[in-house]
Amino acid sequence: MRIGMATAAVVVAWGACAGAEQAGVDRLALFDAGFTGPSVGSVAELGPYTGLAAVERVVGEARKRAVRLNHAQLRANYGETVDFQLRDRQVLLCAQTVDVLYSAYTPSEVRYVRGSRPELERIVAEVTRGCATGTEKALALMRYCRDLYRAEWYGAGFENYVYGGTEEQLIEKGEILCECLGRLHVALCEIAGLPGRVVMHVIGGHICSEIKVDEGWAYMDPRCGVYFRKADGRLASVWELMLHPEWVRGQADAVKCDSSRWFTWEERAWKCEHLYFTPDEVNAFENYRLADSGNYGYAQKPMAAARADGLFTINADYVAAIYEVFDLEGDGYRHRWGSQPLRAMPIAYRHDGFSMYFVEPPLTKEALLRNYVEAFENSNADILVWGLGPGSVFCYDTKVGEVFGEGLSAEQMGMIREGDRWVHENVMGLIDSGNDPLRVAAERAHELGLRIFARLEMNHEYGPASDDNWMWVCLVGRLNKDHPEYRIPNTVFLDFKHAEVRAFKLAIFREALEAGVDGLAIDWAVYPPFFEDPVAGLPIMTEFMRSVRLLCAEFAGRRGTPVEIMARVPARNANALGLDWQTWMREKLIDAITPTHYRPNEEFDIEIGEFISMRNRTGVKVVPTIWQALGFVDTDEQPSDDASGRRRYSKPKTPEMFNAQALLFHRADADGIELGFSQDQWVGQPWMNDLADPGKMRYADKQYMVDILPHCPVRFELAERDGKRIGETTVPLRIGDDIAEARASGHPVGATLVLYAKPLLAGESLKVFVNGQGPVVAEGGGPDNTGGEPPLDAGNIGDSIFEQDWWRRGERELPVEASWWRLGENEIRFVYEAADAREPAFTITWIDLLLDYAG
């Protein structure tokens, strides 16, 4: 834990908050009741509300104790230097002081002496170039402060941290703590001509800033990249947010996207709403001016000195006081990634509802159940996610929609692949024999103690809408074909703004529940878009989810057992598609959320921290997807559109890749894993069952990949250096393996970095550094260079690649010392020295890390 105000308020669990907004209660009266003393009419009268003496104006012994501990912790952090001196002069923001604090307390004119801090002036000029308003300048400088963080402060390197310093020193060290970043932001804004002051959330343990911009005071969090807009677009002040916490919840995506990559928007907004702007908090302002820097001390204090001054002892008491004041309990609504004990998590195994029937007829009931239900008996899979069919036609005995192939003419059936005709024949054969696949699968699953969820692909429509397109003819249902007015203009996708579209989906859900399934798996990852206007669609889709919840409640009442809902959404940008999954979790409209890749070929490490933080506040489970393939190209056992009759190939996904992704989800504290497969691959693959077991995953071989978006392909901008043309770039890679712990436990671990890159020419070299250690050097022109064509750029791979090992072009293995890698975020730095004749420049398409536990 970082010990400073930045993390003094440790992440907290969802619980009763004594200061939460209450219906019918005047918030101003609540704030008034939190402090004693007369109202002030001038700056001269602020004395009783200033510094540590102001604790006597705070109502409540627990609050007073927290305020004193806050003061003691900052003294231990900084000694008699600026960041404690500011704390020692802060003025309480309360009903008694608010009028003066928002009028005369902070001078409206800056007194900065031009030329006194040239390096800061240079930074401000560069950062605010192109900004037309004070708001734009303040936000640009906020983002600059937000992005100073350096990864080394998030690991063991924090023991080498030094507290405080001048603003130039804060920038040089890559500041991470909020008290310093709040001060820095105010200072930079002063140079930009904007008055500002430091904001102290005294009990919550966080420090921000408030800047006077074009139309009023604006609260900003330069550590976390957080601010709030009012309905008219202007930025909100601290006092306005104290009176109107509902503004926190109503922010647009354009505001949310400014939050730091080290935090989630939901996490920070939750803290603002439930800690910082509640009547239980003690908020205060601190004026700070670079023109007055001679009045402050700027000596830095090493971590060891702060520890010797009792910092950690004070912090433990302070954290306990925070929990007491806010009536919180638990180990935090958002844990630090990788810090919690690993626990077993069950598997939800997804059958796509189509490829299981892709076998030569007749498919018997016994064979279907043997391969797709009974195979999971006594396994770590507890839910079978059973697809209802491809596209908007179905593979069960539906009366609402159409069975795949139903009603097609002989000519139309002749358009499709032989395997597709098998699907139709097998499904109809089962239905006609009284063995509806959905119903018999549910019955057998229940006999084996398994649950089965019916999965519906929410917008799987196959364009173009043409009788010459066999997929449109065979895989799209009558609703879409008969009602083009229900489509999003210029697409074949259905627009959920139409009540008829939503009613159809509900009718399919009802039919599946009548067949006996235990829950619904609503797949919103297949396929966006869902609205012509996603912003207008947000409340429509949430109301639809309320309807689904009511439907499940109806069946739960009939059966006397729960009927659950699992919603699968893209892990990023879901809100921009009209999917307000945060509200679904808050309102318990779903029982589990399944974050997944936006596109499978962009993300190897799916970030689920925001979902976990919401899980810890709502209890809704998080069950992320591990997809079956890397998704670079389509693959198909039977040729379709390709006249040559050849099979398309992709880079294969190895079991070691599954191990890596599973351990990443274990480290993130997921509640389960959904394995997504288009055909049955469970039988004969015991390693899939092991993905649920952290004990087996901890020391299993791994294959990690650097995320393509936004890091690959890796390109180099070359510059002259010491007479050479050199370019360098750094990419991140998060791993779930704790190699130091593994070796201490007797497990030898070897590491190999695999690059898929253009061959290095003679005279060229590539140096690789991992977390500042190295380098490992690859020289050009040697025998280890891969011959043949260079690899394709990851962003330009089509869907018609017929060379089986095309993906291995440019493959180069570099043994790397395993001890260089650490649990969590790692930095891989490449330094490329080019040959004079190189054109175009050297690029790397993919980067893999192999961890071998055989050493």
Side-chain angles (χ1 to χ4, degrees):
M1 182 170 67
R2 315 291 174 260
I3 304 300
M5 290 301 98
T7 53
V10 295
V11 288
V12 293
W14 175 264
C17 181
E21 186 176 17
Q22 302 174 40
V25 175
D26 183 348
R27 287 185 67 84
L28 183 57
L30 287 174
F31 286 110
D32 186 49
F35 301 88
T36 62
S39 295
V40 301
S42 68
V43 173
E45 296 174 333
L46 289 173
Y49 298 92
T50 301
L52 185 59
V55 73
E56 298 306 320
R57 301 298 178 185
V58 176
V59 174
E61 287 307 310
R63 294 173 78 217
K64 287 181 179 180
R65 182 166 60 257
V67 171
R68 292 189 182 101
L69 286 165
N70 169 278
H71 187 272
Q73 174 162 312
L74 275 169
R75 185 189 289 275
N77 278 127
Y78 296 97
E80 297 296 326
T81 61
V82 58
D83 296 297
F84 172 71
Q85 289 172 299
L86 289 172
R87 167 62 180 85
D88 206 34
R89 303 172 189 178
Q90 69 181 15
V91 179
L92 300 184
L93 172 60
C94 54
Q96 292 88 334
T97 64
V98 62
D99 291 341
V100 172
L101 291 179
Y102 277 96
S103 58
Y105 172 68
T106 301
S108 60
E109 299 292 331
V110 301
R111 296 187 291 107
Y112 176 72
V113 179
R114 191 63 51 185
S116 62
R117 308 292 281 269
E119 177 61 16
L120 299 183
E121 290 178 24
R122 182 193 65 78
I123 290 170
V124 170
E126 180 179 328
V127 171
T128 61
R129 185 179 295 117
C131 295
T133 67
T135 298
E136 291 176 0
K137 292 177 182 178
L139 288 175
L141 292 168
M142 178 203 72
R143 297 180 189 110
Y144 173 78
C145 295
R146 174 199 69 189
D147 294 338
L148 287 175
Y149 292 5
R150 292 180 183 164
E152 59 260 34
W153 299 138
Y154 276 82
F158 196 72
E159 284 298 315
N160 299 318
Y161 179 83
V162 290
Y163 289 95
T166 65
E167 283 71 21
E168 290 84 352
Q169 288 173 320
L170 301 182
I171 292 169
E172 181 182 5
K173 72 178 176 180
E175 188 52 65
I176 190 174
L177 296 185
C178 61
E179 53 267 40
C180 297
L181 290 168
R183 165 167 61 94
L184 176 62
H185 186 227
V186 169
L188 297 178
C189 286
E190 178 187 357
I191 294 174
L194 303 173
R197 63 252 193 130
V198 176
V199 176
M200 182 71 187
H201 301 301
V202 180
I203 300 180
H206 191 45
I207 294 178
C208 301
S209 59
E210 193 171 51
I211 309 299
K212 186 72 175 295
V213 294
D214 313 285
E215 298 179 63
W217 285 99
Y219 171 82
M220 298 183 189
D221 182 343
R223 182 177 198 246
C224 303
V226 171
Y227 58 98
F228 303 97
R229 289 192 183 275
K230 298 181 281 190
D232 62 5
R234 293 180 298 164
L235 301 189
S237 69
V238 176
W239 186 249
E240 288 173 322
L241 291 165
M242 290 166 68
L243 297 181
H244 298 282
E246 69 274 12
W247 293 353
V248 172
R249 300 189 293 270
Q251 297 300 304
D253 285 346
V255 172
K256 296 177 181 179
C257 71
D258 266 329
S259 60
S260 167
R261 70 187 181 94
W262 298 98
F263 307 97
T264 68
W265 164 263
E266 290 294 328
E267 172 184 0
R268 302 313 304 179
W270 188 94
K271 280 198 169 187
C272 287
E273 185 179 358
H274 294 275
L275 279 75
Y276 306 148
F277 300 131
T278 69
D280 280 340
E281 180 60 280
V282 172
N283 287 315
F285 290 151
E286 306 160 355
N287 279 333
Y288 178 67
R289 294 289 180 274
L290 289 174
D292 299 327
S293 59
N295 298 330
Y296 299 104
Y298 291 90
Q300 293 184 311
K301 186 173 183 179
M303 171 68 78
R307 186 189 295 274
D309 285 344
L311 171 60
F312 285 84
T313 300
I314 296 168
N315 179 257
D317 293 339
Y318 181 31
V319 169
I322 292 169
Y323 276 86
E324 181 179 357
V325 170
F326 292 109
D327 193 18
L328 300 165
E329 60 185 66
D331 61 353
Y333 69 83
R334 173 73 190 277
H335 63 81
R336 185 164 61 89
W337 187 95
S339 64
Q340 76 291 329
L342 299 181
R343 59 192 176 98
M345 53 186 184
I347 293 171
Y349 192 92
R350 194 205 77 156
H351 297 306
D352 72 346
F354 186 71
S355 60
M356 57 254 272
Y357 310 106
F358 211 88
V359 295
E360 187 171 358
L363 173 64
T364 65
K365 167 188 172 182
E366 290 73 22
L368 178 72
L369 297 180
R370 180 174 61 250
N371 292 326
Y372 299 101
V373 179
E374 293 165 355
F376 297 90
E377 185 178 11
N378 299 320
S379 73
N380 289 324
D382 70 339
I383 296 175
L384 301 182
V385 181
W386 194 276
L388 295 179
S392 53
V393 293
F394 306 97
C395 290
Y396 72 96
D397 189 11
T398 178
K399 303 299 186 294
V400 173
E402 302 89 52
V403 176
F404 172 73
E406 185 177 12
L408 297 183
S409 67
E411 180 182 357
Q412 289 171 324
M413 290 295 287
M415 296 172 64
I416 63 179
R417 301 167 298 183
E418 181 182 44
D420 296 319
R421 292 192 289 274
W422 290 350
V423 172
H424 172 70
E425 185 175 340
N426 282 326
V427 171
M428 292 306 302
L430 289 166
I431 292 172
D432 290 343
S433 66
N435 294 304
D436 171 36
L438 182 61
R439 194 174 294 273
V440 298
E443 291 172 353
R444 185 60 178 139
H446 295 157
E447 291 172 355
L448 299 176
L450 298 167
R451 291 181 293 164
I452 186 167
F453 284 23
R455 172 179 169 268
L456 181 61
E457 300 175 343
M458 296 306 289
N459 218 4
H460 203 168
E461 314 290 330
Y462 290 84
S466 168
D467 290 340
D468 295 328
N469 174 13
W470 72 267
M471 290 187 289
W472 170 262
V473 170
C474 301
L475 298 174
V476 177
R478 294 254 57 92
L479 179 74
N480 193 325
K481 291 177 178 176
D482 293 346
H483 295 281
E485 71 274 17
Y486 295 164
R487 300 175 199 156
I488 297 171
N490 303 313
T491 78
V492 298
F493 295 107
L494 296 172
D495 193 327
F496 277 73
K497 73 180 180 183
H498 297 289
E500 294 85 354
V501 173
R502 303 194 300 275
F504 175 78
K505 303 295 182 180
L506 277 173
I508 294 294
F509 287 148
R510 177 175 289 277
E511 205 169 48
L513 291 169
E514 294 283 6
V517 298
D518 302 282
L520 301 175
I522 307 177
D523 199 333
W524 295 111
V526 183
Y527 281 108
F530 305 105
F531 295 100
E532 180 183 7
D533 182 353
V535 174
L538 283 164
I540 295 173
M541 200 67 90
T542 295
E543 190 58 38
F544 172 72
M545 294 299 293
R546 293 187 184 111
S547 299
V548 179
R549 173 53 84 193
L550 287 173
L551 176 65
C552 290
E554 174 192 332
F555 277 83
R558 289 192 206 174
R559 301 174 183 175
T561 57
V563 176
E564 296 188 357
I565 300 172
M566 177 186 294
R568 184 169 177 256
V569 301
R572 56 184 175 87
N573 298 330
N575 294 104
L577 299 172
L579 309 175
D580 186 4
W581 59 267
Q582 295 93 337
T583 296
W584 304 351
M585 292 181 75
R586 286 192 191 99
E587 295 187 14
K588 304 294 183 69
L589 302 180
I590 57 178
D591 300 281
I593 188 84
T594 301
T596 188
H597 52 264
Y598 193 77
R599 297 180 182 88
N601 62 354
E602 292 179 348
E603 298 152 309
F604 183 86
D605 179 6
I606 298 175
E607 174 53 55
I608 64 170
E610 190 172 0
F611 296 88
I612 294 296
S613 97
M614 187 62 73
R615 185 275 311 274
N616 288 349
R617 293 195 292 277
T618 65
V620 175
K621 294 180 179 179
V622 179
V623 184
T625 299
I626 299 181
W627 193 240
Q628 62 179 343
L630 296 174
F632 296 115
V633 299
D634 295 330
T635 58
D636 203 328
E637 293 287 350
Q638 296 193 28
S640 54
D641 299 329
D642 177 52
S644 69
R646 294 178 294 173
R647 179 181 174 184
R648 295 171 292 188
Y649 287 96
S650 181
K651 180 180 179 181
K653 188 169 183 180
T654 65
E656 291 76 19
M657 289 179 176
F658 283 86
N659 293 345
Q661 289 179 315
L663 188 57
L664 288 169
F665 287 146
H666 279 286
R667 295 291 187 189
D669 198 30
D671 297 290
I673 299 173
E674 182 188 68
L675 292 181
F677 285 92
S678 60
Q679 58 191 10
D680 180 60
Q681 293 174 309
W682 180 269
V683 178
Q685 305 284 359
W687 58 266
M688 285 193 185
N689 194 53
D690 292 345
L691 299 176
D693 186 341
K696 294 181 177 178
M697 287 298 98
R698 190 191 297 267
Y699 306 128
D701 291 346
K702 310 291 191 317
Q703 182 171 355
Y704 291 93
M705 286 188 71
V706 171
D707 287 339
I708 287 179
L709 186 71
H711 307 298
C712 293
V714 176
R715 295 184 172 89
F716 297 85
E717 293 186 10
L718 301 180
E720 293 291 334
R721 189 190 306 171
D722 299 328
K724 301 175 182 178
R725 297 172 66 224
I726 294 177
E728 60 180 86
T729 190
T730 300
V731 298
L733 177 63
R734 183 167 64 176
I735 70 171
D737 292 77
D738 187 337
I739 292 173
E741 184 274 335
R743 286 184 164 178
S745 299
H747 296 272
V749 187
T752 304
L753 203 62
V754 184
L755 308 181
Y756 298 86
K758 293 184 178 181
L760 291 168
L761 302 180
E764 294 187 326
S765 68
L766 181 70
K767 296 179 181 177
V768 183
F769 299 83
V770 178
N771 297 321
Q773 301 184 79
V776 173
V777 182
E779 301 284 353
D784 58 340
N785 272 304
T786 302
E789 297 180 79
L792 298 173
D793 279 352
N796 298 312
I797 295 172
D799 62 357
S800 300
I801 300 180
F802 305 105
E803 175 190 339
Q804 186 168 5
D805 291 326
W806 65 270
W807 55 274
R808 300 196 68 169
R809 297 176 188 174
E811 182 181 80
R812 178 192 287 265
E813 295 188 357
L814 298 175
V816 177
E817 171 53 47
S819 64
W820 294 353
W821 301 91
R822 61 190 177 213
L823 171 65
E825 293 286 347
N826 294 265
E827 287 189 347
I828 309 172
R829 182 165 68 96
F830 298 100
V831 180
Y832 162 61
E833 182 178 331
D836 291 340
R838 187 65 155 187
E839 192 64 39
F842 175 74
T843 58
I844 304 172
T845 298
W846 292 309
I847 305 166
D848 292 6
L849 172 65
L850 310 182
L851 296 180
D852 178 8
Y853 277 82

